[in-house]
Amino acid sequence: MKWHEVAIHTKEENEEKLSAYLNTVSKGVSIEHSIDILRGKIDDFDEKFRLDPKDYPASDIRILVYFDETQNMDAKLQEIEAFIGEADLASKEDIRITHEVIEEADWENEWKKHFHSFRVSDTFVIVPSWEMEDYKYHEADRLIKLDPGMAFGTGDHPTTSMCLRFIEKTVKPGDSIIDVGTGSGILSIAAHLMGTDEIKATDIDELSIKVAQENFVLNDCEEAIRLETADLLKEEDGKYDVVIANILAHVIEEMIEDAYVRLNSNGYFIASGIIVEKHERIMEKMKTAGFSIREILEDNGWVSILAEKV
Ligand SMILES: C[S@@+](CC[C@H](N)C(=O)[O-])C[C@H]1O[C@@H](n2cnc3c(N)ncnc32)[C@H](O)[C@@H]1O
Protein backbone atom coordinates (compact mmCIF):
# COMPACT_ATOMS: atom_id res chain seq x y z
CA MET A 1 0.00 0.00 0.00
CA LYS A 2 1.10 3.53 -0.73
CA TRP A 3 0.61 6.62 1.44
CA HIS A 4 0.46 10.33 0.76
CA GLU A 5 2.87 12.38 2.84
CA VAL A 6 2.17 16.12 3.04
CA ALA A 7 5.00 18.18 4.58
CA ILE A 8 4.18 21.59 6.02
CA HIS A 9 7.14 23.79 6.84
CA THR A 10 6.23 26.53 9.34
CA LYS A 11 7.11 28.40 12.54
CA GLU A 12 7.20 26.46 15.81
CA GLU A 13 4.46 28.74 17.25
CA ASN A 14 2.02 27.19 14.76
CA GLU A 15 2.68 23.60 15.88
CA GLU A 16 -0.22 23.20 18.30
CA LYS A 17 -2.96 24.75 16.17
CA LEU A 18 -1.90 23.06 12.96
CA SER A 19 -1.27 19.61 14.41
CA ALA A 20 -4.59 19.66 16.33
CA TYR A 21 -6.42 20.39 13.08
CA LEU A 22 -4.36 18.02 10.92
CA ASN A 23 -4.95 15.16 13.36
CA THR A 24 -8.66 15.39 12.66
CA VAL A 25 -8.38 15.24 8.87
CA SER A 26 -5.57 12.72 8.36
CA LYS A 27 -4.45 9.25 9.40
CA GLY A 28 -1.44 10.48 11.35
CA VAL A 29 0.73 13.49 12.08
CA SER A 30 4.37 13.68 13.11
CA ILE A 31 6.44 16.76 13.92
CA GLU A 32 10.07 17.29 12.96
CA HIS A 33 11.94 20.04 14.79
CA SER A 34 15.02 21.83 13.50
CA ILE A 35 18.26 21.21 15.36
CA ASP A 36 18.11 24.81 16.64
CA ILE A 37 14.76 24.13 18.29
CA LEU A 38 15.97 20.80 19.69
CA ARG A 39 19.02 22.56 21.12
CA GLY A 40 16.71 24.81 23.14
CA LYS A 41 14.49 21.96 24.29
CA ILE A 42 16.79 19.08 25.17
CA ASP A 43 19.38 19.22 27.92
CA ASP A 44 21.21 16.14 26.86
CA PHE A 45 21.30 16.47 23.09
CA ASP A 46 24.48 14.49 22.46
CA GLU A 47 22.59 11.65 20.98
CA LYS A 48 20.60 13.94 18.72
CA PHE A 49 23.74 15.63 17.50
CA ARG A 50 25.31 12.36 16.46
CA LEU A 51 22.49 12.21 13.93
CA ASP A 52 22.88 13.78 10.54
CA PRO A 53 21.64 17.41 10.44
CA LYS A 54 20.26 16.64 7.00
CA ASP A 55 17.54 14.62 8.79
CA TYR A 56 16.12 17.78 10.37
CA PRO A 57 14.55 20.83 8.78
CA ALA A 58 17.11 23.66 8.48
CA SER A 59 14.89 25.97 10.50
CA ASP A 60 11.42 26.05 12.10
CA ILE A 61 9.40 22.80 12.12
CA ARG A 62 8.13 20.37 9.53
CA ILE A 63 4.74 18.77 10.14
CA LEU A 64 4.36 15.49 8.29
CA VAL A 65 0.77 14.49 7.64
CA TYR A 66 -0.27 11.08 6.30
CA PHE A 67 -3.25 10.07 4.15
CA ASP A 68 -4.06 6.63 2.77
CA GLU A 69 -3.98 6.05 -0.96
CA THR A 70 -7.79 6.21 -1.33
CA GLN A 71 -7.91 9.91 -0.49
CA ASN A 72 -8.54 12.65 -3.05
CA MET A 73 -5.37 14.61 -2.41
CA ASP A 74 -6.29 17.66 -4.50
CA ALA A 75 -9.34 18.14 -2.26
CA LYS A 76 -7.35 17.44 0.95
CA LEU A 77 -4.65 19.94 0.00
CA GLN A 78 -7.28 22.57 -0.77
CA GLU A 79 -8.92 21.89 2.63
CA ILE A 80 -5.57 22.32 4.41
CA GLU A 81 -4.83 25.53 2.51
CA ALA A 82 -8.30 26.87 3.35
CA PHE A 83 -7.72 26.13 7.07
CA ILE A 84 -4.36 27.89 6.97
CA GLY A 85 -6.00 30.82 5.18
CA GLU A 86 -8.62 31.21 7.93
CA ALA A 87 -6.64 30.30 11.07
CA ASP A 88 -4.80 32.77 13.24
CA LEU A 89 -1.19 31.63 12.55
CA ALA A 90 2.26 33.21 12.70
CA SER A 91 4.10 34.16 9.45
CA LYS A 92 1.48 32.59 7.20
CA GLU A 93 3.17 33.89 4.05
CA ASP A 94 6.22 31.69 4.82
CA ILE A 95 4.29 28.42 5.22
CA ARG A 96 5.42 25.93 2.56
CA ILE A 97 3.47 22.78 1.67
CA THR A 98 4.84 19.84 -0.33
CA HIS A 99 3.29 16.49 -1.13
CA GLU A 100 4.74 13.11 -2.11
CA VAL A 101 3.64 9.50 -2.40
CA ILE A 102 5.56 7.03 -0.20
CA GLU A 103 5.62 3.25 0.28
CA GLU A 104 3.96 1.75 3.36
CA ALA A 105 6.22 1.83 6.42
CA ASP A 106 5.99 0.15 9.77
CA TRP A 107 4.81 3.36 11.44
CA GLU A 108 1.32 2.04 10.75
CA ASN A 109 1.84 -0.25 13.76
CA GLU A 110 4.40 1.82 15.67
CA TRP A 111 1.79 3.83 17.59
CA LYS A 112 0.51 0.64 19.25
CA LYS A 113 3.59 0.72 21.50
CA HIS A 114 2.31 4.00 22.98
CA PHE A 115 -1.42 3.21 23.20
CA HIS A 116 -2.43 1.76 26.58
CA SER A 117 -5.63 1.44 28.69
CA PHE A 118 -6.82 4.68 30.20
CA ARG A 119 -9.85 6.16 31.98
CA VAL A 120 -11.52 8.82 29.89
CA SER A 121 -14.49 9.82 32.10
CA ASP A 122 -16.12 8.71 35.37
CA THR A 123 -17.08 5.33 33.94
CA PHE A 124 -15.68 4.99 30.41
CA VAL A 125 -12.33 3.23 30.14
CA ILE A 126 -10.58 2.64 26.82
CA VAL A 127 -8.87 -0.72 26.58
CA PRO A 128 -6.78 -1.57 23.50
CA SER A 129 -7.69 -4.98 22.10
CA TRP A 130 -4.19 -6.28 22.90
CA GLU A 131 -4.52 -5.38 26.62
CA MET A 132 -8.03 -6.75 27.22
CA GLU A 133 -7.04 -9.89 29.10
CA ASP A 134 -4.86 -8.11 31.64
CA TYR A 135 -7.00 -5.08 32.39
CA LYS A 136 -8.24 -4.94 36.03
CA TYR A 137 -11.47 -2.96 36.12
CA HIS A 138 -13.99 -1.75 38.71
CA GLU A 139 -17.56 -3.00 38.72
CA ALA A 140 -18.95 0.35 37.53
CA ASP A 141 -16.50 0.72 34.62
CA ARG A 142 -17.83 0.74 31.08
CA LEU A 143 -15.08 -0.80 28.94
CA ILE A 144 -14.65 0.32 25.35
CA LYS A 145 -12.45 -2.29 23.67
CA LEU A 146 -10.64 -0.72 20.79
CA ASP A 147 -8.36 -1.41 17.90
CA PRO A 148 -8.58 1.95 16.15
CA GLY A 149 -6.35 0.90 13.25
CA MET A 150 -6.00 3.83 10.91
CA ALA A 151 -9.40 5.38 11.80
CA PHE A 152 -9.71 8.43 14.06
CA GLY A 153 -10.99 7.80 17.58
CA THR A 154 -8.71 6.33 20.24
CA GLY A 155 -10.43 8.38 22.94
CA ASP A 156 -7.34 10.33 23.90
CA HIS A 157 -8.12 13.29 21.64
CA PRO A 158 -9.99 16.01 23.59
CA THR A 159 -12.74 16.21 20.96
CA THR A 160 -13.57 12.51 21.53
CA SER A 161 -13.21 12.49 25.31
CA MET A 162 -15.56 15.48 25.69
CA CYS A 163 -18.17 13.62 23.58
CA LEU A 164 -17.78 10.60 25.86
CA ARG A 165 -18.46 12.80 28.89
CA PHE A 166 -21.63 14.17 27.25
CA ILE A 167 -22.75 10.65 26.25
CA GLU A 168 -22.29 9.48 29.86
CA LYS A 169 -24.48 12.36 30.98
CA THR A 170 -27.28 12.34 28.39
CA VAL A 171 -27.82 8.90 26.82
CA LYS A 172 -30.54 6.86 28.55
CA PRO A 173 -31.42 3.18 28.08
CA GLY A 174 -33.53 2.76 24.93
CA ASP A 175 -32.62 6.16 23.39
CA SER A 176 -32.22 6.24 19.61
CA ILE A 177 -28.83 7.58 18.57
CA ILE A 178 -27.10 8.62 15.37
CA ASP A 179 -23.29 8.92 15.44
CA VAL A 180 -22.26 10.97 12.38
CA GLY A 181 -18.58 10.48 11.42
CA THR A 182 -18.12 7.39 13.59
CA GLY A 183 -14.38 6.88 12.79
CA SER A 184 -13.26 3.96 14.97
CA GLY A 185 -16.88 3.57 16.22
CA ILE A 186 -15.90 4.63 19.73
CA LEU A 187 -18.90 6.91 20.40
CA SER A 188 -21.46 4.35 19.18
CA ILE A 189 -19.89 1.70 21.42
CA ALA A 190 -20.14 4.15 24.32
CA ALA A 191 -23.82 4.82 23.55
CA HIS A 192 -24.45 1.05 23.52
CA LEU A 193 -22.77 0.73 26.92
CA MET A 194 -25.29 3.30 28.24
CA GLY A 195 -28.02 0.73 27.54
CA THR A 196 -29.37 1.33 24.06
CA ASP A 197 -29.65 -0.93 21.02
CA GLU A 198 -31.08 1.77 18.74
CA ILE A 199 -27.91 3.12 17.18
CA LYS A 200 -26.95 4.18 13.68
CA ALA A 201 -23.29 4.94 12.91
CA THR A 202 -22.21 6.60 9.66
CA ASP A 203 -19.02 7.80 8.02
CA ILE A 204 -18.06 9.16 4.63
CA ASP A 205 -14.74 7.27 4.72
CA GLU A 206 -14.78 3.57 3.73
CA LEU A 207 -11.69 2.73 5.80
CA SER A 208 -13.44 4.06 8.93
CA ILE A 209 -16.52 1.96 8.15
CA LYS A 210 -14.31 -1.14 8.00
CA VAL A 211 -12.52 -0.33 11.28
CA ALA A 212 -15.80 0.57 13.05
CA GLN A 213 -17.34 -2.77 12.01
CA GLU A 214 -14.34 -4.63 13.49
CA ASN A 215 -14.66 -2.68 16.74
CA PHE A 216 -18.42 -3.35 16.97
CA VAL A 217 -17.68 -7.08 16.72
CA LEU A 218 -14.92 -6.73 19.33
CA ASN A 219 -17.43 -5.10 21.69
CA ASP A 220 -20.19 -7.57 20.85
CA CYS A 221 -22.56 -4.81 19.74
CA GLU A 222 -22.67 -5.31 15.96
CA GLU A 223 -26.35 -6.34 16.23
CA ALA A 224 -27.24 -3.11 18.03
CA ILE A 225 -25.55 -0.71 15.60
CA ARG A 226 -26.50 -0.13 11.96
CA LEU A 227 -23.42 1.01 10.06
CA GLU A 228 -23.75 2.98 6.82
CA THR A 229 -21.68 5.13 4.51
CA ALA A 230 -23.25 8.60 4.41
CA ASP A 231 -22.49 12.27 3.98
CA LEU A 232 -23.61 13.97 7.23
CA LEU A 233 -27.42 13.89 7.56
CA LYS A 234 -28.08 14.81 3.93
CA GLU A 235 -30.02 11.62 3.05
CA GLU A 236 -31.18 10.81 6.58
CA ASP A 237 -34.91 10.32 7.23
CA GLY A 238 -35.02 8.78 10.74
CA LYS A 239 -35.80 10.47 14.07
CA TYR A 240 -33.39 10.32 17.02
CA ASP A 241 -33.10 11.24 20.71
CA VAL A 242 -29.41 12.09 20.37
CA VAL A 243 -27.36 13.23 17.35
CA ILE A 244 -23.60 13.03 17.91
CA ALA A 245 -20.99 14.53 15.57
CA ASN A 246 -17.30 15.04 16.25
CA ILE A 247 -16.16 16.54 12.96
CA LEU A 248 -14.82 20.05 12.26
CA ALA A 249 -16.55 23.38 12.90
CA HIS A 250 -17.33 24.15 9.27
CA VAL A 251 -18.76 20.63 8.80
CA ILE A 252 -20.83 20.85 12.01
CA GLU A 253 -22.15 24.19 10.77
CA GLU A 254 -23.39 22.50 7.61
CA MET A 255 -25.48 19.96 9.56
CA ILE A 256 -27.07 22.10 12.34
CA GLU A 257 -30.46 22.49 10.67
CA ASP A 258 -30.62 18.82 9.65
CA ALA A 259 -29.72 17.80 13.21
CA TYR A 260 -32.63 19.89 14.51
CA VAL A 261 -35.06 18.27 12.05
CA ARG A 262 -33.82 14.73 12.83
CA LEU A 263 -34.14 15.11 16.62
CA ASN A 264 -37.21 14.29 18.70
CA SER A 265 -38.43 17.04 21.06
CA ASN A 266 -36.02 17.51 23.96
CA GLY A 267 -33.42 15.52 22.05
CA TYR A 268 -29.73 16.42 22.32
CA PHE A 269 -27.16 17.44 19.73
CA ILE A 270 -23.62 16.65 20.92
CA ALA A 271 -21.29 18.61 18.63
CA SER A 272 -17.51 18.43 18.87
CA GLY A 273 -14.35 19.11 16.85
CA ILE A 274 -14.90 22.87 17.11
CA ILE A 275 -11.84 25.07 17.59
CA VAL A 276 -12.35 27.64 20.32
CA GLU A 277 -12.26 30.55 17.84
CA LYS A 278 -15.32 29.20 16.06
CA HIS A 279 -17.54 28.05 18.92
CA GLU A 280 -19.45 31.35 19.36
CA ARG A 281 -20.43 31.28 15.71
CA ILE A 282 -21.60 27.65 15.96
CA MET A 283 -23.64 28.41 19.10
CA GLU A 284 -25.33 31.37 17.37
CA LYS A 285 -26.24 29.15 14.41
CA MET A 286 -27.61 26.51 16.81
CA LYS A 287 -29.77 29.07 18.61
CA THR A 288 -31.08 30.39 15.27
CA ALA A 289 -32.05 26.83 14.33
CA GLY A 290 -34.06 26.51 17.59
CA PHE A 291 -31.57 24.83 19.93
CA SER A 292 -30.98 25.81 23.52
CA ILE A 293 -27.33 25.52 24.61
CA ARG A 294 -27.16 23.33 27.73
CA GLU A 295 -23.42 23.05 28.36
CA ILE A 296 -20.07 23.66 26.75
CA LEU A 297 -16.79 21.90 27.52
CA GLU A 298 -13.35 23.18 26.55
CA ASP A 299 -10.07 21.29 26.43
CA ASN A 300 -6.79 22.29 24.76
CA GLY A 301 -8.32 24.78 22.34
CA TRP A 302 -11.24 22.51 21.42
CA VAL A 303 -14.89 23.05 22.36
CA SER A 304 -17.79 20.59 22.55
CA ILE A 305 -21.36 21.78 22.75
CA LEU A 306 -24.41 20.07 24.24
CA ALA A 307 -27.54 21.61 22.68
CA GLU A 308 -31.16 20.62 23.29
CA LYS A 309 -34.05 20.81 20.85
CA VAL A 310 -36.70 22.78 22.71
C1 LIG B 1 -12.63 13.61 14.14
S1 LIG B 1 -13.15 12.09 13.48
C2 LIG B 1 -14.23 11.51 14.79
C3 LIG B 1 -14.20 10.02 15.01
C4 LIG B 1 -14.96 9.55 16.24
N1 LIG B 1 -16.38 9.81 16.10
C5 LIG B 1 -14.44 10.23 17.50
O1 LIG B 1 -15.19 11.01 18.09
O2 LIG B 1 -13.29 9.97 17.88
C6 LIG B 1 -14.26 12.63 12.23
C7 LIG B 1 -14.86 11.53 11.40
O3 LIG B 1 -15.85 12.14 10.56
C8 LIG B 1 -15.78 11.57 9.26
N2 LIG B 1 -16.36 12.56 8.33
C9 LIG B 1 -15.76 13.67 7.82
N3 LIG B 1 -16.62 14.31 6.99
C10 LIG B 1 -17.78 13.60 7.00
C11 LIG B 1 -19.05 13.74 6.33
N4 LIG B 1 -19.28 14.76 5.50
N5 LIG B 1 -20.01 12.82 6.56
C12 LIG B 1 -19.78 11.76 7.40
N6 LIG B 1 -18.59 11.56 8.04
C13 LIG B 1 -17.61 12.47 7.84
C14 LIG B 1 -14.29 11.28 9.06
O4 LIG B 1 -14.11 10.28 8.08
C15 LIG B 1 -13.87 10.84 10.47
O5 LIG B 1 -13.99 9.43 10.63
Side-chain angles (χ1 to χ4, degrees), residues 109-209:
N109 286 310
E110 268 296 293
W111 61 274
K112 286 192 178 181
K113 289 185 196 150
H114 310 286
F115 183 45
H116 300 293
S117 308
F118 63 99
R119 179 171 300 279
V120 73
S121 68
D122 287 348
T123 62
F124 287 126
V125 179
I126 312 294
V127 187
S129 54
W130 54 95
E131 282 190 6
M132 261 154 33
E133 281 182 13
D134 301 328
Y135 185 73
K136 309 257 178 307
Y137 51 88
H138 304 292
E139 212 175 304
D141 285 349
R142 297 184 168 103
L143 299 197
I144 300 175
K145 301 163 198 156
L146 220 54
D147 187 348
M150 296 308 286
F152 185 101
T154 50
D156 56 354
H157 196 271
T159 59
T160 312
S161 57
M162 291 188 287
C163 286
L164 290 168
R165 284 157 63 193
F166 278 146
I167 288 170
E168 191 172 57
K169 195 172 214 173
T170 55
V171 175
K172 297 184 297 302
D175 275 354
S176 54
I177 314 285
I178 183 159
D179 169 19
V180 182
T182 194
S184 64
I186 182 169
L187 303 180
S188 290
I189 297 166
H192 179 253
L193 289 169
M194 295 304 296
T196 178
D197 283 349
E198 295 284 315
I199 304 165
K200 181 166 175 180
T202 68
D203 206 291
I204 203 166
D205 171 37
E206 291 298 342
L207 194 72
S208 297
I209 295 283

Side-chain angles (χ1 to χ4, degrees), residues 67 78 107 123 143 155 157 189-190 202 230 234 236 246 254 260 267 270 275 281 284 296-298:
F67 298 89
Q78 274 176 19
W107 58 260
T123 62
L143 299 197
H157 196 271
I189 297 166
T202 68
K234 289 177 189 164
E236 185 55 46
N246 174 18
E254 229 186 287
Y260 191 84
I270 297 174
I275 51 171
R281 177 189 166 92
E284 281 317 308
I296 68 167
L297 296 174
E298 189 183 330

Side-chain angles (χ1 to χ4, degrees), residues 86-121:
E86 275 186 31
D88 179 18
L89 299 170
S91 307
K92 270 195 208 187
E93 57 293 349
D94 297 331
I95 296 178
R96 290 198 311 279
I97 304 180
T98 54
H99 162 222
E100 64 177 299
V101 178
I102 55 169
E103 291 296 331
E104 182 167 28
D106 204 38
W107 58 260
E108 197 182 342
N109 286 310
E110 268 296 293
W111 61 274
K112 286 192 178 181
K113 289 185 196 150
H114 310 286
F115 183 45
H116 300 293
S117 308
F118 63 99
R119 179 171 300 279
V120 73
S121 68

Side-chain angles (χ1 to χ4, degrees), residues 3 7 21 24 34 98 106 115 124 141 174 177 179 191 199 220-221 226 280 285:
W3 290 87
Y21 161 73
T24 65
S34 78
T98 54
D106 204 38
F115 183 45
F124 287 126
D141 285 349
I177 314 285
D179 169 19
I199 304 165
D220 213 7
C221 58
R226 274 181 301 143
E280 298 280 358
K285 296 257 172 186

Side-chain angles (χ1 to χ4, degrees), residues 6-64:
V6 174
I8 303 176
H9 190 122
T10 185
K11 294 274 169 227
E12 198 199 7
E13 300 95 282
N14 295 332
E15 174 179 339
E16 202 175 327
K17 268 195 190 141
L18 278 177
S19 56
Y21 161 73
L22 293 163
N23 258 311
T24 65
V25 294
S26 69
K27 300 295 181 202
V29 172
S30 102
I31 314 287
E32 290 182 345
H33 291 98
S34 78
I35 283 187
D36 288 341
I37 293 172
L38 288 175
R39 198 192 295 271
K41 281 195 168 160
I42 316 172
D43 294 335
D44 174 16
F45 48 82
D46 273 11
E47 196 183 321
K48 292 276 175 197
F49 273 72
R50 274 200 292 275
L51 298 173
D52 189 340
K54 286 207 300 303
D55 293 340
Y56 297 92
S59 64
D60 306 321
I61 57 166
R62 198 160 44 210
I63 306 179
L64 301 176

